[in-house]
Amino acid sequence: MPKLTLQTDADPQKEYFLEKGTSLSIGRQEDNDIVIPDASVSRHHAGIESDGNAFYLTDYQSRNGSFVNGQLVIFRKLAHGDVITIGNQTMTFSYLKGEERPQDEAQESFNMTMAMDTRDHRSLLARGVAQLVSDTERPAPTGVLAYISGGTGEVVLDKDRIRIGKDPDSDIVVRGMLVGKTAAEIFRRDEGYVIRPGEGLAKPKVNFATLKGEVQLNEFDVIDIGSVRLQFQYQNP
């Protein structure tokens, strides 16, 4: 059972143990598992989820970003000794002595990491907001699904309806005994994209949570269906 060790100036060291099959939320709001009372931290800033023996940090589109070993992270598989920085809080991810650790196979394919420091990140955000204001008349961006595992490349969501499942005629074909012919559907709406679960016993997951109904997709959401893991992103026209 790995743990997060928090180091702060005001409080003594704190430890949070991470169990398989559970998640841990981090943010400014009191309903988080780890509360960071810092104005630079979003209300629900990031989370750590397990998948098998591995643990992943996902940034929930926070305002000022999440960092692992000094790098801005969107989605990352955590390794022993990784240092996570969120706002003014630093925490270390580690496995207990003698504990089995997952292999680091294809680490790069699981990581969505940008090498920049906090100052560069905030500057980029400011430029992005200015660009949005000046480009209000540009066409809406098109969504894409980028493969994290189970495939390569990306699928452009340029149709009003995208089918994902075991059916060979699906836009994205997924393997798995319990995967339905149409395991999930993605629809393009005026306000963006939504995903809806379909048939089959293997239910799709969004950010490691089982999809129970139609939900709006946000950029960098991670989608798991059968043998495939995808990340939703926007592609500017």
Side-chain angles (χ1 to χ4, degrees):
M1 181 186 301
K3 65 180 179 179
L4 280 179
T5 304
L6 279 64
Q7 300 282 354
T8 63
D9 294 333
D11 299 320
Q13 177 176 294
K14 295 181 179 179
E15 293 182 342
Y16 294 82
F17 290 91
L18 303 168
E19 297 184 8
K20 296 178 183 178
T22 62
S23 61
L24 183 147
S25 61
I26 306 170
R28 191 178 74 246
Q29 195 159 295
E30 291 293 332
D31 60 353
N32 289 283
D33 298 301
I34 298 179
V35 179
I36 303 177
D38 180 357
S40 67
V41 176
S42 299
R43 288 180 298 174
H44 296 96
H45 195 104
I48 296 177
E49 296 93 3
S50 68
D51 184 15
N53 293 324
F55 288 80
Y56 299 83
L57 174 71
T58 302
D59 183 88
Y60 294 154
Q61 301 176 47
S62 65
R63 184 176 61 210
N64 291 313
S66 304
F67 295 79
V68 175
N69 302 331
Q71 292 184 317
L72 178 65
V73 165
I74 298 167
F75 174 78
R76 176 163 177 142
K77 182 180 180 182
L78 294 171
H80 179 77
D82 277 348
V83 177
I84 302 168
T85 303
I86 294 177
N88 61 6
Q89 180 66 70
T90 298
M91 56 199 86
T92 303
F93 175 85
S94 60
Y95 287 91
L96 301 181
K97 186 176 181 180
E99 182 178 10
E100 182 181 357
R101 305 175 189 177
Q103 295 181 355
D104 295 331
E105 76 268 353
Q107 176 76 12
E108 291 79 7
S109 67
F110 284 95
N111 292 349
M112 296 293 174
T113 305
M114 300 172 65
M116 61 176 70
D117 61 25
T118 307
R119 183 176 57 185
D120 292 337
H121 174 47
R122 290 175 179 169
S123 175
L124 180 62
L125 287 176
R127 291 198 301 272
V129 171
Q131 187 73 19
L132 286 174
V133 173
S134 63
D135 292 347
T136 55
E137 296 183 357
R138 294 182 63 184
T142 301
V144 298
L145 290 176
Y147 281 94
I148 297 175
S149 61
T152 58
E154 61 185 29
V155 178
V156 180
L157 307 180
D158 54 0
K159 300 192 299 185
D160 291 336
R161 175 175 175 256
I162 298 292
R163 293 173 58 236
I164 306 173
K166 192 159 53 177
D167 191 323
D169 293 329
S170 297
D171 299 286
I172 299 176
V173 178
V174 178
R175 301 187 307 275
M177 290 183 58
L178 302 179
V179 176
K181 287 187 176 181
T182 300
E185 296 175 293
I186 296 177
F187 298 90
R188 184 169 188 168
R189 304 277 174 79
D190 291 339
E191 64 275 15
Y193 292 84
V194 298
I195 184 171
R196 179 188 300 169
E199 59 190 20
L201 295 177
K203 299 300 181 183
K205 296 180 180 180
V206 175
N207 297 329
F208 300 95
T210 300
L211 191 61
K212 298 180 179 179
E214 183 176 293
V215 298
Q216 181 86 24
L217 282 173
N218 297 309
E219 190 164 24
F220 308 127
D221 277 351
V222 176
I223 302 169
D224 284 285
I225 301 178
S227 60
V228 169
R229 172 170 290 163
L230 304 154
Q231 186 173 57
F232 175 75
Q233 303 170 12
Y234 277 109
Q235 171 182 279
N236 288 324

